[in-house]
Amino acid sequence: MRSAQVTIRAVAVAPTDAFDRVKDFAVYPRLSSVVRSVTVRQPEPAAPGEAAEEHSDWEVYFRNGILRWSETDTFDRAALTIAFTQTDGDFAEFSGTWRVRPDGEDSLIDFHTEFDFGIPSLAGILDPVAERVFRETIGLVVTSLFARAEVEGDEALVRAVELARERAAGARTGDGGPTGDDAPTGDDTPTAIPAGAV
């Protein structure tokens, strides 16, 4: 199985506030053009002292199509963790965790996922692209949730998130975004799996 990890620092944000923003999956499509849609179904009431659970349906642009899945999301506000597991969709296996932890006056937000498309003959092609898309999308979305936030410990990912922000700003203003050496290449374009490929 392939994995993807990202750590983001939310500057001067309390861990509980960071947790509450991260768990609002319904806003993610507004923060990244790669996330086509997220539909959050009503959470199931949790018994006192138990973690809350909800279900969400995701559509993400990947290669030349759309990657779709449904997941169960388990929110443990006391531990500041979110666990998710695919219940149906395009992955053979897909699960992961979010964890928020204090760091001085800041919060560190850790995202970790493991996934398998279940197509061994295409793993060498699909898995690295999926890992990049996960990391860049999570980096962009989560840094966009806060007034001041930054990706930790990965300069290539920091630059990819900056370029994605510049492209988005260019698309909103109509100036086309960065040019020259900063212009996105074909590798920067979100890509999706053709329907029926998985």
Side-chain angles (χ1 to χ4, degrees), residues 84-135:
F84 59 91
T85 304
Q86 174 185 271
T87 56
D88 186 42
D90 291 334
F91 295 98
E93 294 182 52
F94 178 55
S95 63
T97 57
W98 294 87
R99 181 174 61 130
V100 180
R101 52 196 167 100
D103 188 47
E105 294 184 0
D106 302 341
S107 290
L108 292 176
I109 301 155
D110 300 311
F111 170 83
H112 175 83
T113 186
E114 292 186 345
F115 59 92
D116 182 358
F117 286 106
I119 310 172
S121 61
L122 295 178
I125 298 167
L126 295 178
D127 289 359
V129 174
E131 179 182 353
R132 179 180 59 85
V133 169
F134 273 126
R135 289 169 41 76

Side-chain angles (χ1 to χ4, degrees), residues 34 132 136 160 163 167 182-191:
V34 175
R132 179 180 59 85
E136 290 178 8
L163 282 173
R167 283 195 307 274
D182 288 337
T185 64
D187 288 349
D188 296 324
T189 306
T191 53

Side-chain angles (χ1 to χ4, degrees), residues 23-69:
K23 77 182 189 76
D24 189 5
F25 298 142
V27 304
Y28 285 25
R30 292 190 303 230
L31 303 174
S32 171
S33 62
V34 175
V35 182
R36 183 172 188 243
S37 70
V38 179
T39 303
V40 176
R41 290 179 266 137
Q42 287 297 320
E44 297 178 12
E50 289 187 6
E53 192 172 274
E54 73 181 20
H55 302 279
S56 54
D57 302 315
W58 295 71
E59 291 185 350
V60 174
Y61 292 107
F62 182 74
R63 296 187 56 83
N64 297 319
I66 298 169
L67 187 60
R68 293 178 175 91
W69 72 91

